[in-house]
Amino acid sequence: MIILAVSKDQPLEKIQKAIDLGQICFGENYLQGALPKIQALLNKSLEWHFIGKIQSNKTRDIATYFSCVQSLDDLKIAERLNNQRPSQLPPLQVCIEINNGRHPQKPGIPLSELPLFIEKLKALPRLHWRGLMSTITEEYETTAHAFVQLKKQGHDIDILSMGMSDDYQKAIELGATMIRIGTAFFGKRQGRKHHE
């Protein structure tokens, strides 16, 4: 079980304290807020995961500064990330975000579109597909089932990213291999000072 410390809107001092305690995986939703922290900590061996909505004009920096994108749900964005991943870096790790339509305002693709999405994604050499992600508690069970089925089909995936501060226990029970914890890890967030 991997804990992804969601550090959006958290000050550098709190992140540094977490690093001192051994935390290496951090998640950010907003590029503008993430870049100063990533650049300030370049001398640390950290994994930065992008977990927010991806805007096309932000793909170059995401492809450059992050080691994993968990919120992938658009093939055009995938192609941009693939084309813009610097050649000196290893392939960008990605997860496909799932949303079967219970919350149409949230991002993600339905499971019915998953086979074609996977086929197209695996043809992009600068991306390395690692698994599935969900932000919708009611869909954890179906996402977990899909993850198990994909592994049975022979797909080499190992990340099932589900669960946040208020529902991570359910996610763990359903087989999540990664939980994204913000408030329960750092305490209450500071207000956002930027807009994207």
Side-chain angles (χ1 to χ4, degrees), residues 7-8 32 58 63 93 101 104 106 166 185 189 191 193:
S7 49
K8 68 175 181 179
Q32 187 176 333
K58 306 289 175 61
Q93 302 171 56
K106 290 191 174 184
D166 56 351
F185 190 96
R189 291 200 309 269
K193 297 183 175 64

Side-chain angles (χ1 to χ4, degrees), residues 18-74:
I19 295 168
D20 292 343
L21 293 171
Q23 181 68 25
I24 61 171
C25 298
F26 295 90
E28 290 280 339
N29 294 60
Y30 307 106
L31 179 66
Q32 187 176 333
L35 283 182
K37 299 177 216 176
I38 294 172
Q39 291 168 337
L41 296 166
L42 282 176
N43 62 327
K44 308 286 186 182
S45 297
L46 304 176
E47 279 190 25
W48 291 96
H49 292 233
F50 193 82
I51 57 175
K53 181 172 175 58
I54 306 168
Q55 298 172 323
S56 59
N57 64 336
K58 306 289 175 61
T59 53
R60 185 173 298 279
D61 280 340
I62 292 172
T64 300
Y65 289 100
F66 286 82
S67 56
C68 183
V69 170
Q70 294 198 20
S71 48
L72 191 60
D73 66 355
D74 184 289

